[in-house]
Amino acid sequence: QGGMLAGIIGTTCVSTVATINVFLLIQAKIKLGRRARTYGHVGKAACGKLGYLAVEACVASAQIGFCCAYLIFITQNLHRYIETEWSGEITLALVPILVGLCWVRHLHVLAPFSLFAILLVAVGLVAVVYDSKDLQGTGKDVKPYILDTLPIFFGMACYSFEGVGMAIPMYNSMKKPERFPFVWFLGTLVVTVVYISFGAFCYSCYGIVTPEIITMVLPKTTTSLLVMVG
């Protein structure tokens, strides 16, 4: 949506700004101490009750948007394997599972599942690269920037680094919270490099017709099904 050059520069900028904001948030939480258990408490300390309500509303609306995007992503992937007249049936079947996951209060409970999902994502990246390697450099209409869809790219880039919603819960769950800045920076760096390199590779392979959900290029196999579910 942004073009090759604009995509690389834009992703780097959004990643940098998101990381700085997370560090500022954690610094504010540390300064406030036990009074700041949630994002709303930080907003309340800064701007009073209005700040609390505004921050909580922003966090809630952002998370609703992210969850809707995840539901659409999972539904579109599964619909390739589960033949139904209405794809909404798949979405409705997923809602109870996701609601149950939202009731988990401590992140360490989800750690094994998160690790398994990360492994599946890694397999998915390798699978897409393997299936597309012969197309590298053959993408049609590859442009350095695309002004018409640049705002869409900006929104997608912000969505890609939406992990700020996990910053305080992650900090609270760590045995050694003083290591949070290093862990977060390292994780963001790895994710940014993967986003840029993988996105540039796929764009060079498929050009303007690059699918929004890149796993759609995978063949219908058991491996690709696991990748998409993960």
Side-chain angles (χ1 to χ4, degrees), residues 18-46:
T19 302
I20 293 174
N21 288 339
V22 168
F23 288 166
L24 291 174
L25 175 65
I26 295 301
Q27 288 177 6
K29 180 200 166 5
I30 294 174
K31 186 174 182 179
L32 293 173
R34 294 186 175 182
R35 291 184 297 163
R37 296 293 298 176
T38 66
Y39 297 92
H41 294 150
V42 177
K44 183 177 182 180

Side-chain angles (χ1 to χ4, degrees), residues 10 27 43 49 65 72 78 97 108 110-111 115-116 134 144 156 171 175-176 190-192 204 220:
Q27 288 177 6
K49 186 175 182 180
I72 294 172
L78 290 180
I97 300 175
H108 64 82
L110 299 175
L115 178 59
F116 180 65
D134 295 333
M156 295 174 66
Y171 180 87
K175 291 183 178 180
K176 297 181 179 179
V190 172
V191 169
T192 304
S204 70
K220 292 185 178 181

Side-chain angles (χ1 to χ4, degrees), residues 26 37 39 63 101-115 163-175 180 183-184:
I26 295 301
R37 296 293 298 176
Y39 297 92
Q63 293 303 317
L101 291 174
C102 291
W103 288 346
V104 177
R105 295 180 59 86
H106 302 287
L107 292 180
H108 64 82
V109 177
L110 299 175
F113 304 99
S114 178
L115 178 59
V164 64
M166 299 299 296
I168 289 181
M170 181 178 172
Y171 180 87
N172 292 335
S173 299
M174 293 183 68
K175 291 183 178 180
F180 176 86
V183 173
W184 190 275

